[in-house]
């Protein structure tokens, strides 16, 4: 077979159901939510969605479980996550299958997404013994000043289709060891992988004797998400998705003084300087721009190349783009799978139209392939467009594989172009000049939450904090000290002397 022979919807349905059976999940069949596959664009099954009332009940159950979970010693909470990690290892293939069926990721990326979930479990288990506070020098004799981190409450996790499982695991494993309980509202486009993940947490909870309410799943569209957003029992809403969604969610959560952690869209760029290793840069750029069919929040969308290397780089990229195998994501040789929907392909075409109207030159790609074999699916050729300047369409996130190429003369100009977009997620520079690399990473360099040297913009490790600035929302998840967002801080002043001393030498009675 070749990459362009697509599996049938029936075989994909069988594959998904077999994975769910092995994971131990029964699908709540119904008519109000549709599981579909972007591989053929056709329906797999109908599911029952969660009503607003049921979402409220899920929050109530999570709030009840929180009352015992918050005083469970953190290493015991870690035991739940360790058990989940073991189940994820055991079911890595099953979960990867579901990710490929529902999100269309190629096999290696789907396995990678599950690996990322396993990795964050390991991280969170270690973290369960490292929820450190500080001891602070007190200005008063016989006093000690300290801070303690306490569990926050119910965390509402709202996630996007493109990382249907990993984003949930970053939030959930860290929240659980922090003593929080979780209600998850996954993307309406990926209900099956969500059912599998939830099923594994339930199994883990049963195995270690954790309360069942530590994790609840609610299925449905944004109205179910809104139920979490507006519920004052949800202490933190961690929402991943488009900037449009964040603009709605952020103020609504703030209006009730809840906490929001927002992980929104990106418009990521790489700067390629004259000293760059062009072999390495080409390889990195193709993965970052065309990988995952351009549907990562960290996908490379803008390439800012020095005028002296732009033509050479474009030549190499055009050649590489022409060779990209597009098609069945289950096929070993495929590098570019389907877009999530035909609607996403329409958005790609509209963006290319606007870019060309702005004077952009389409160098390669932009066509649709396999339209006869799968009329309801959308397989797009990744596009490369040379732009005369950074026009409004370049400053928008189009969630499809379009890479705009811009040129620059001085590094200051490149950095100014780089930062002149609303989003601030990921960035990188390709250079062998240490001064340029350091300048890019400095306070007046890239304004993004992620800034890399000699690698692309996508494919972060879980050990670092993940997230971005400006219209990307400002949130940080995953590694480093991102756990603090899932806890509340108490400052403690302890007087172990016999007299009352007031701070700042204030005198009052005595
Ligand atoms: P989306 O915004 O359409 O949906 C994301 C989630 O939010 C879904 O579960 C959806 O049901 C829910 N939602 C939408 N509107 C809502 C509202 N008003 N109230 C409550 N919930 C609401 O995004 P998508 O198309 O699924 O995903 C693609 C987007 O996600 C891209 O913009 C991408 O950059 C972004 N993303 C960001 C990150 C990150 O970490 N920064 C990671 C993955 C994806």
């Amino acid at each position: 077979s070749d990459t362009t022979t697509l599996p049938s919807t029936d075989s994909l349905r069988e594959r998904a159901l077999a994975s769910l059976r092995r994971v131990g999940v029964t699908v709540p069949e119904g008519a109000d939510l549709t599981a579909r596959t972007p591989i053929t664009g056709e329906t797999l099954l109908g599911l029952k969605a969660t009503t607003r009332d049921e979402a409220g009940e899920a929050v109530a159950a999570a709030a009840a479980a929180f009352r015992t979970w918050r005083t469970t010693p953190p290493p015991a909470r870690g035991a739940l996550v360790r058990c989940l990690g073991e189940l994820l290892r055991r079911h890595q293939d099953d979960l990867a299958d579901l990710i490929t069926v529902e999100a269309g990721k190629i096999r290696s990326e789907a396995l990678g997404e599950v690996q990322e979930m396993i990795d964050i479990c390991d991280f969170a288990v270690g973290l369960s013994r490292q929820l450190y506070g500080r001891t602070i020098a007190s200005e008063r004799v016989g006093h000690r000043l300290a801070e303690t981190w306490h569990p926050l409450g119910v965390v509402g996790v709202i996630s996007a289709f493109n990382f249907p499982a990993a984003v949930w695991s970053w939030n959930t494993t860290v929240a659980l060891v922090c003593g929080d309980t979780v209600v998850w509202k996954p993307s309406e486009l990926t209900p099956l992988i969500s059912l599998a993940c939830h099923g594994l947490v339930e199994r883990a909870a049963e195995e270690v004797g954790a309360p069942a309410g530590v994790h609840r799943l609610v299925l449905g569209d944004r109205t179910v998400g809104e139920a979490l957003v507006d519920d004052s029992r949800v202490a933190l809403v961690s929402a991943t998705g488009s900037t449009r969604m964040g603009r709605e969610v952020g103020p609504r959560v703030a209006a009730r003084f809840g906490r929001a952690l927002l992980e929104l869209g990106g418009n990521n760029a790489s700067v390629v300087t004259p000293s760059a290793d062009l072999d390495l840069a080409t390889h990195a750029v193709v993965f970052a721009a065309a990988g995952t069919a351009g549907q990562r929040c960290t996908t490379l969308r803008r390439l800012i190349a020095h005028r002296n290397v732009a033509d050479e780089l474009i030549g190499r990229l055009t050649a590489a783009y022409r060779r990209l195998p597009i098609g069945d994501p289950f096929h070993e040789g495929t590098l570019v799978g389907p877009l999530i929907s035909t609607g996403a392909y329409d958005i790609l075409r509209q963006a290319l139209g606007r870019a060309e109207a702005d004077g952009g030159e389409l160098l390669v790609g932009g066509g649709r392939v396999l339209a006869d074999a799968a009329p309801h699916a959308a397989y797009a050729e990744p596009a490369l467009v040379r732009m005369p300047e950074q026009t409004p369409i370049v400053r928008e996130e189009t969630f499809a594989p379009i890479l705009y190429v811009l040129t620059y003369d001085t590094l200051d100009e490149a950095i100014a172009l780089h930062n002149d977009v609303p989003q601030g997620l990921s960035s990188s520079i390709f250079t062998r000049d240490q001064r340029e690399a350091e300048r890019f990473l400095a306070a007046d360099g890239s304004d993004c939450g992620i800034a890399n040297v000699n690698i692309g913009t996508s494919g972060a490790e879980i050990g670092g904090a993940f997230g971005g600035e400006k219209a990307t929302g400002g949130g940080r998840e995953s590694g480093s000290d991102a756990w603090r967002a899932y806890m509340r801080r108490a400052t403690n002043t302890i007087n172990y002397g016999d007299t009352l001393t007031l701070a700042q030498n204030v005198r009052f009675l005595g």
Side-chain angles (χ1 to χ4, degrees):
S1 71
D2 64 39
T3 63
T4 59
T5 311
L6 297 179
S8 70
T9 302
D10 285 343
S11 73
L12 292 168
R13 182 183 303 110
E14 267 322 301
R15 197 161 181 160
L17 289 173
S19 291
L20 287 164
R21 266 196 304 277
R22 283 190 294 271
V23 168
V25 169
T26 38
V27 178
E29 285 193 40
D32 31 22
L33 185 67
T34 310
R36 49 183 292 287
T37 174
I39 299 175
T40 61
E42 289 171 354
T43 298
L44 297 169
L45 16 120
L47 290 104
K48 201 195 137 328
T50 307
T51 63
R52 243 191 125 94
D53 282 351
E54 287 166 342
E57 285 161 21
V59 173
F66 176 67
R67 282 193 278 280
T68 52
W69 193 240
R70 66 183 165 183
T71 51
T72 303
R77 302 194 296 238
L80 168 63
V81 174
R82 185 185 314 114
C83 184
L84 173 64
E86 284 162 9
L87 290 172
L88 293 173
R89 279 186 175 85
R90 207 179 304 157
H91 291 286
Q92 183 158 15
D93 280 325
D94 294 324
L95 297 170
D97 273 7
L98 290 167
I99 292 171
T100 299
V101 170
E102 272 192 314
K105 287 195 187 187
I106 62 168
R107 186 80 191 144
S108 147
E109 291 193 50
L111 284 167
E113 177 159 358
V114 186
Q115 187 58 47
E116 195 168 343
M117 300 165 74
I118 295 167
D119 293 346
I120 195 73
C121 284
D122 287 351
F123 180 92
V125 173
L127 180 67
S128 71
R129 290 181 185 272
Q130 300 175 78
L131 301 170
Y132 302 135
R134 294 168 198 256
T135 302
I136 299 143
S138 170
E139 65 188 49
R140 285 173 276 189
V141 173
H143 284 62
R144 186 167 66 82
L145 203 53
E147 61 183 20
T148 314
W149 291 88
H150 292 302
L152 194 59
V154 178
V155 177
V157 177
I158 296 174
S159 57
F161 80 83
N162 68 316
F163 270 94
V167 165
W168 162 77
S169 72
W170 299 349
N171 281 286
T172 299
T173 58
V174 171
L176 288 174
V177 300
C178 287
D180 303 324
T181 56
V182 174
V183 180
W184 180 25
K185 206 303 277 180
S187 167
E188 52 274 46
L189 302 175
T190 54
L192 301 183
I193 179 70
S194 316
L195 283 162
C197 292
H198 174 65
L200 292 180
V201 187
E202 278 192 321
R203 263 168 74 182
E206 207 177 298
E207 236 170 85
V208 304
V214 292
H215 190 268
R216 284 298 171 112
L217 175 70
V218 293
L219 292 180
D221 63 11
R222 73 171 71 168
T223 56
V224 181
E226 283 164 2
L228 302 183
V229 166
D230 294 336
D231 194 320
S232 58
R233 294 168 298 182
V234 177
L236 169 70
V237 175
S238 176
T240 300
S242 58
T243 294
R244 179 204 56 74
M245 177 277 287
R247 222 183 284 284
E248 287 163 19
V249 167
R252 276 171 84 152
V253 176
R256 61 169 177 86
F257 296 105
R259 281 198 208 171
L261 194 166
L262 300 175
E263 294 281 359
L264 312 175
N267 191 353
N268 318 294
S270 289
V271 174
V272 182
T273 74
S275 72
D277 175 337
L278 289 189
D279 281 339
L280 183 144
T282 303
H283 189 178
V285 165
V286 176
F287 170 67
T292 332
Q295 299 173 115
R296 285 196 191 213
C297 52
T298 50
T299 288
L300 180 65
R301 310 205 178 276
R302 299 177 296 135
L303 189 62
I304 304 171
H306 190 272
R307 201 167 296 282
N308 294 349
V309 292
D311 288 338
E312 168 71 21
L313 187 62
I314 284 172
R316 290 176 188 230
L317 289 173
T318 313
Y321 267 50
R322 289 213 167 92
R323 287 195 305 268
L324 284 173
I326 303 170
D328 174 16
F330 275 116
H331 193 286
E332 280 281 318
T334 301
L335 294 181
V336 180
L339 294 180
I340 192 68
S341 63
T342 51
Y345 182 71
D346 296 339
I347 288 168
L348 177 147
R349 288 304 318 176
Q350 283 160 21
L352 290 179
R354 280 177 64 189
E356 284 179 311
D358 288 345
E361 183 194 352
L362 177 63
L363 301 166
V364 62
R368 181 173 166 192
V369 297
L370 293 169
D372 292 336
H376 304 292
Y379 289 85
E381 295 168 333
L384 199 61
V385 185
R386 190 167 189 158
M387 293 300 295
E389 56 186 321
Q390 188 153 267
T391 62
I393 186 63
V394 181
R395 299 176 75 253
E396 276 177 32
E397 180 197 49
T398 300
F399 213 58
I402 302 176
L403 179 61
Y404 300 109
V405 187
L406 299 154
T407 47
Y408 78 90
D409 292 304
T410 67
L411 189 59
D412 280 342
E413 191 194 330
I415 291 172
L417 262 177
H418 175 276
N419 292 345
D420 186 24
V421 293
Q423 311 82 352
L425 182 52
S426 186
S427 61
S428 80
I429 189 167
F430 291 90
T431 181
R432 280 185 283 209
D433 181 335
Q434 193 180 358
R435 293 167 302 184
E436 289 182 327
E438 292 291 343
R439 174 70 215 293
F440 188 73
L441 303 181
D444 57 352
S446 162
D447 63 1
C448 289
I450 298 169
N452 299 332
V453 176
N454 289 332
I455 65 163
T457 51
S458 64
E461 301 179 19
I462 58 97
F466 183 93
E469 304 298 335
K470 304 193 290 185
T472 302
R476 291 296 186 280
E477 287 175 0
S478 196
S480 185
D481 63 353
W483 60 271
R484 290 173 186 224
Y486 301 81
M487 300 197 87
R488 63 181 175 89
R489 182 197 319 239
T491 299
N492 315 126
T493 309
I494 301 121
N495 176 5
Y496 57 90
D498 299 323
T499 51
L500 185 74
T501 321
L502 301 179
Q504 295 90 38
N505 300 318
V506 170
R507 303 208 166 270
F508 197 87
L509 298 174

